[in-house]
Amino acid sequence: MTNQKSNGAVTTKAETLPAAKIEALEKMAGAGLETVTVDDLPQPRLKVLQAISPEVAGGKDRKAVEGAKAGLIYNNTTDSCYPEEGIDVIVCGYEKTWVEWQERGTGGPGAPINVFTPTNKPTDSVRGDDGKFRLPNGNYIEETANFYMLILNQGPTPEAVVMSLSKTGLKVARNWAYSLKNEFIQNPKTKKLFLAPSYYRIYRLSTEFTDNTKGAWWALKFEKGDFLNDEKVFDTAAAFSEQVRAGKVSVDYSDEESAASEDTPF
């Protein structure tokens, strides 16, 4: 008997197999997968669906995802959506990038031209009439906030994912980063306050409908939850955080289309 979870993992319930078989399988744990690295796997990325998202409306090259609708959070790896009430996550890392795009329809590749970090961000960009920061070559760079997270309670183990926020999503990103940077713990012995690790608190991610003078869309919403008290998950989060900090994990933009074709064009 198997148990299919939303993150794609399938676990075999132990009670359906003899104990000796389980012990034998445990000794062979990971056999045949020794050379598989993160570069060989798709990177799970989350986004908030809009009415015009191809996952909702369908398109020339793909069918709409079953059950998908505007306002749901979508996982590209499982090609599925999470429930309306949202998901619980812990943040294990944060990265700011400036992504260089070529305008859609100009014959360039759909993927980004370049991805810059705060240390090598171009200094010669000029804000155009369309609000985009243009480079001398005509391309534009877009500020992007990337959150590396573990999704909780949606599978047998926490799932590592990335969520990138840009354009109007930057307001949510800044507020979320502010919340993370203002989480302090007090040592009961010394009374000293210290900044908590980002994965100390659980956050509930959902969406809300919002608008401005340019239009209306579904935006990401975050809410503070309980403190993380699962030691095993805490250790997993710490290890993932170290991978992000060491640069062993980064956002994979190779399959991403130009920002000009994003679901929320403002």
Side-chain angles (χ1 to χ4, degrees):
M1 182 175 180
T2 58
N3 186 18
Q4 178 72 46
K5 296 295 185 177
S6 61
N7 66 357
V10 179
T11 56
T12 301
K13 291 189 175 180
E15 63 267 23
T16 66
L17 294 174
K21 186 67 173 179
I22 292 295
E23 292 179 0
L25 287 173
E26 187 173 1
K27 292 179 180 179
M28 295 182 285
L33 303 172
E34 294 86 354
T35 61
V36 177
T37 69
V38 293
D39 294 330
D40 302 310
L41 304 173
Q43 183 179 74
R45 300 187 66 186
L46 306 184
K47 74 172 183 177
V48 176
L49 295 180
Q50 309 297 329
I52 61 173
S53 299
E55 295 82 6
V56 175
K60 179 180 178 182
D61 300 322
R62 69 162 298 156
K63 295 181 179 179
V65 175
E66 183 178 356
K69 64 178 183 178
L72 294 183
I73 297 175
Y74 168 80
N75 184 318
N76 71 319
T77 302
T78 61
D79 198 27
S80 61
C81 300
Y82 296 102
E84 289 187 34
E85 58 267 26
I87 52 177
D88 290 334
V89 305
I90 48 177
V91 178
C92 300
Y94 172 85
E95 180 186 37
K96 176 68 69 64
T97 56
W98 279 264
V99 185
E100 180 183 350
W101 300 98
Q102 190 169 359
E103 286 289 357
R104 188 181 185 187
T106 57
I113 306 299
N114 282 302
V115 179
F116 302 101
T117 66
T119 58
N120 68 352
K121 172 190 172 186
T123 58
D124 55 354
S125 64
V126 178
R127 193 180 187 97
D129 294 336
D130 57 2
K132 297 178 180 178
F133 287 91
R134 296 284 175 183
L135 297 172
N137 62 10
N139 297 337
Y140 64 94
I141 56 173
E142 189 167 72
E143 182 180 357
T144 305
N146 303 294
F147 290 85
Y148 297 83
M149 307 177 292
L150 291 180
I151 299 179
L152 309 178
N153 307 321
Q154 293 293 321
T157 58
E159 182 182 13
V161 299
V162 179
M163 191 165 203
S164 300
L165 300 173
S166 59
K167 300 179 180 179
T168 52
L170 287 174
K171 180 179 179 180
V172 176
R174 290 170 182 138
N175 288 337
W176 195 2
Y178 179 85
S179 178
L180 291 165
K181 286 285 286 185
N182 282 274
E183 188 77 70
F184 292 90
I185 303 173
Q186 185 177 53
N187 186 316
K189 292 184 179 180
T190 65
K191 305 301 180 182
K192 181 180 178 181
L193 290 174
F194 59 94
L195 184 63
S198 61
Y199 41 88
Y200 176 67
R201 184 184 288 277
I202 299 171
Y203 282 86
R204 167 55 63 99
L205 294 188
S206 58
T207 64
E208 59 184 353
F209 196 67
T210 187
D211 59 14
N212 63 15
T213 57
K214 295 182 179 180
W217 68 98
W218 286 93
L220 185 69
K221 177 183 178 181
F222 70 90
E223 298 172 284
K224 280 188 174 183
D226 296 330
F227 299 125
L228 180 64
N229 57 14
D230 187 313
E231 187 173 343
K232 291 184 178 179
V233 175
F234 197 91
D235 290 342
T236 300
F240 185 36
S241 180
E242 176 58 26
Q243 287 183 314
V244 175
R245 189 195 66 79
K248 296 180 180 179
V249 180
S250 59
V251 180
D252 179 10
Y253 294 98
S254 60
D255 294 328
E256 186 161 327
E257 295 182 354
S258 169
S261 62
E262 278 189 353
D263 305 335
T264 306
F266 36 79

